[in-house]
């Protein structure tokens, strides 16, 4: 029987059983194991981990754990300078693109409202979501830890908040997206890009009142949905302003 001492830092504790949080604890093991598999055996997805120190030295996920190792596991650092250490995950994807698992439909619509590229279908299978994330270099957003533990996922995030309106600011600050918010540039329904369209071109598709009171329209290049600044727009804009205000707190 071999034993290590292990400690998880900061928000990685969210994933642990309460008695293991915020302290170093001993862990017995028998089989040869990588540090990645050991970390995930505690329910912490590898996509959440940024740095692993073993006996004070940084190692990558493939490190084989030895008897007596002292293991420290750190999440993404927002501001500390960690350049001398091995970063386990590739650099952040430059243009943020997401794929969301089936439980996060409302979040997908909200993020599209803010202009972010979000693939989502309510019948995506887990395997499909994982494949899209890997092949299209899209960050996977999910509340399913098992999904994040799939080996092909390199960029993923476990969304903590349960309520969609609170999930939005969580994702915006985690990925530093506030400066990239571009409301009403993307179709909420299908994720297509919106572009301006002449009223004359689409006039026959408008309800009489809309035709009478509005002159500026945008159209989705994907599904043809028409957008204008009606009452729905105003409600949405209040949400957008609310989220933006949180970014300045
Ligand atoms: Zn559309």
């Amino acid at each position: 029987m071999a034993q290590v001492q292990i400690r998880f830092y900061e928000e990685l504790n969210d994933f642990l059983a309460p008695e293991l949080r915020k302290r170093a604890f001993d862990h017995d093991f028998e089989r040869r194991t990588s540090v990645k598999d050991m970390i995930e055996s505690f329910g912490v997805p590898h996509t959440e981990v940024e740095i692993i120190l073993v006996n004070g030295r940084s190692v990558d996920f493939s490190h084989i754990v030895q008897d007596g190792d002292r293991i420290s596991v750190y999440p993404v650092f927002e501001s500390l300078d960690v350049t001398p250490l091995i970063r386990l995950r590739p650099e952040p994807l430059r243009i943020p693109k997401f794929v969301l698992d089936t439980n996060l439909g409302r979040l997908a619509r909200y993020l599209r409202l803010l202009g972010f590229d979000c693939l989502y279908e309510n019948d995506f299978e887990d395997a499909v979501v994982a494949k899209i994330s890997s092949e299209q270099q899209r960050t996977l957003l999910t509340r399913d830890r098992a999904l994040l533990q799939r080996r092909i996922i390199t960029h993923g995030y476990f969304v903590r908040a349960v309520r969609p309106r609170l999930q939005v600011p969580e994702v915006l600050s985690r990925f530093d997206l506030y400066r990239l918010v571009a409301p009403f540039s993307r179709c909420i329904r299908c994720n297509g890009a919106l572009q301006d369209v002449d009223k004359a071109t689409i006039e026959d598709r408008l309800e009489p009142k809309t035709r009478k009171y509005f002159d500026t329209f945008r159209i989705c290049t994907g599904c043809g949905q028409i957008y204008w600044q009606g009452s729905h727009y105003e409600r949405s804009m209040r949400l957008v302003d609310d989220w933006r205000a949180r970014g300045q707190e």
Side-chain angles (χ1 to χ4, degrees):
M1 176 82 74
Q3 190 181 64
V4 295
Q5 191 183 68
I6 185 163
R7 177 170 177 157
F8 291 88
Y9 285 85
E10 305 296 336
E11 65 265 29
L12 295 181
N13 285 281
D14 297 351
F15 298 100
L16 298 181
E19 67 274 15
L20 300 180
R21 289 179 190 164
K22 298 191 172 172
R23 64 181 189 85
F25 56 88
D26 294 333
H27 174 64
D28 297 331
F29 66 105
E30 280 175 18
R31 289 186 307 134
R32 179 183 156 89
T33 178
S34 70
V35 72
K36 173 180 183 288
D37 288 344
M38 184 176 282
I39 287 170
E40 291 200 322
S41 73
F42 292 99
V44 179
H46 72 278
T47 51
E48 297 281 319
V49 174
E50 179 82 359
I51 285 168
I52 304 167
L53 299 182
V54 174
N55 305 322
R57 284 189 28 244
S58 68
V59 300
D60 67 22
F61 284 129
S62 64
H63 173 84
I64 300 300
V65 178
Q66 308 291 327
D67 187 26
D69 277 351
R70 285 173 297 106
I71 304 171
S72 305
V73 190
Y74 296 90
V76 175
F77 288 99
E78 297 298 343
S79 53
L80 288 178
D81 181 11
V82 292
T83 37
L85 303 171
I86 297 176
R87 295 187 88 104
L88 293 172
R89 293 176 307 110
E91 287 298 296
L93 302 174
R94 190 169 300 172
I95 304 165
K97 292 186 300 182
F98 301 99
V99 57
L100 286 81
D101 99 3
T102 51
N103 301 315
L104 296 177
R106 186 74 75 83
L107 177 62
R109 292 171 69 86
Y110 284 156
L111 289 175
R112 287 171 181 169
L113 172 69
L114 295 170
F116 297 106
D117 183 350
C118 291
L119 286 191
Y120 167 83
E121 298 288 343
N122 62 12
D123 57 356
F124 272 164
E125 306 259 346
D126 282 0
V128 174
V129 172
K131 193 157 175 279
I132 290 172
S133 171
S134 170
E135 287 179 356
Q136 300 187 22
Q137 291 283 286
R138 287 175 176 271
T139 299
L140 168 62
L141 301 180
T142 180
R143 284 188 42 76
D144 177 352
R145 288 188 219 185
L147 186 49
L148 285 177
Q149 293 186 2
R150 289 182 184 230
R151 207 165 279 272
I152 63 168
I153 305 288
T154 56
H155 291 78
Y157 176 65
F158 178 80
V159 179
R160 269 74 163 177
V162 175
R163 292 181 53 209
R165 285 193 189 191
L166 299 177
Q167 289 168 346
V168 174
E170 181 187 331
V171 170
L172 293 181
S173 48
R174 171 62 169 68
F175 293 95
D176 196 17
L177 297 179
Y178 279 104
R179 72 209 149 78
L180 298 174
V181 167
F184 307 100
S185 57
R186 193 171 289 278
C187 180
I188 291 163
R189 217 165 61 163
C190 82
N191 197 44
L194 302 187
Q195 65 180 33
D196 293 336
V197 62
D198 284 340
K199 187 176 182 179
T201 317
I202 45 116
E203 205 153 22
D204 56 330
R205 292 176 52 196
L206 302 176
E207 300 286 331
K209 274 192 176 167
T210 309
R211 194 183 304 145
K212 185 171 172 189
Y213 292 112
F214 296 92
D215 292 313
T216 315
F217 297 90
R218 308 202 89 193
I219 190 165
C220 172
T221 53
C223 72
Q225 171 89 359
I226 297 167
Y227 290 82
W228 65 93
Q229 300 192 353
S231 58
H232 183 263
Y233 172 89
E234 283 170 17
R235 276 200 302 281
S236 303
M237 207 57 214
R238 277 200 290 279
L239 278 176
V240 171
D241 289 343
D242 187 45
W243 288 321
R244 277 184 159 155
R246 284 166 181 265
Q248 277 144 26
E249 277 167 7

